[in-house]
Amino acid sequence: MIYRERLTATLDGDFVVFLIGMRINKPLMVHKWLPVAAAMPRMIRELSKQPELGFLHAEMWFSRTIILVQYWRSMEQLLAYAKDRQAQHLPAWQAFNKAIGTDGSVGIWHETYAASAGTYENIYVNMPSFGLGKAGILQPAAGGKQSAAGRLKAGRDAP
């Protein structure tokens, strides 16, 4: 469903935005990059079935560089998942290091950001529920939330 109106999303409390991805440096080496590309959907399925782990939502884009934007309830929960020996992440990370390591065929990266009230803002127009709008709550970008500065101030002023 496409929402035509101007919407903004909020998420109660602090949260984490985790950007993670891979870059296919040698496209013909399918045996190198395909297992890496297949690992993340398995992790997302695992996380989606266990909300107590703190994973809130993810969006994914495929191209030569695959990008995922993930939303997590806390930094502690994200780091706990990364180190959990019973979860999908560690075996995937070990397999990457064994099969690829630093051979240059597949690049991987991530960036992690902690967000709190008044430190983030967003706008969605003519969009389906997306990104933080799926992880949090969508509401009209009206009143004091019509501008980026207003949305930031509204976040700082929220209880």
Side-chain angles (χ1 to χ4, degrees), residues 100-137:
I100 296 163
T102 58
D103 74 5
S105 61
V106 180
I108 58 169
W109 60 275
H110 79 254
E111 299 176 3
T112 311
Y113 303 95
S116 58
T119 65
Y120 69 94
E121 71 82 30
N122 52 73
I123 191 77
Y124 306 93
V125 182
N126 295 325
M127 287 289 295
S129 184
F130 177 84
L132 191 61
K134 275 193 169 180
I137 299 168

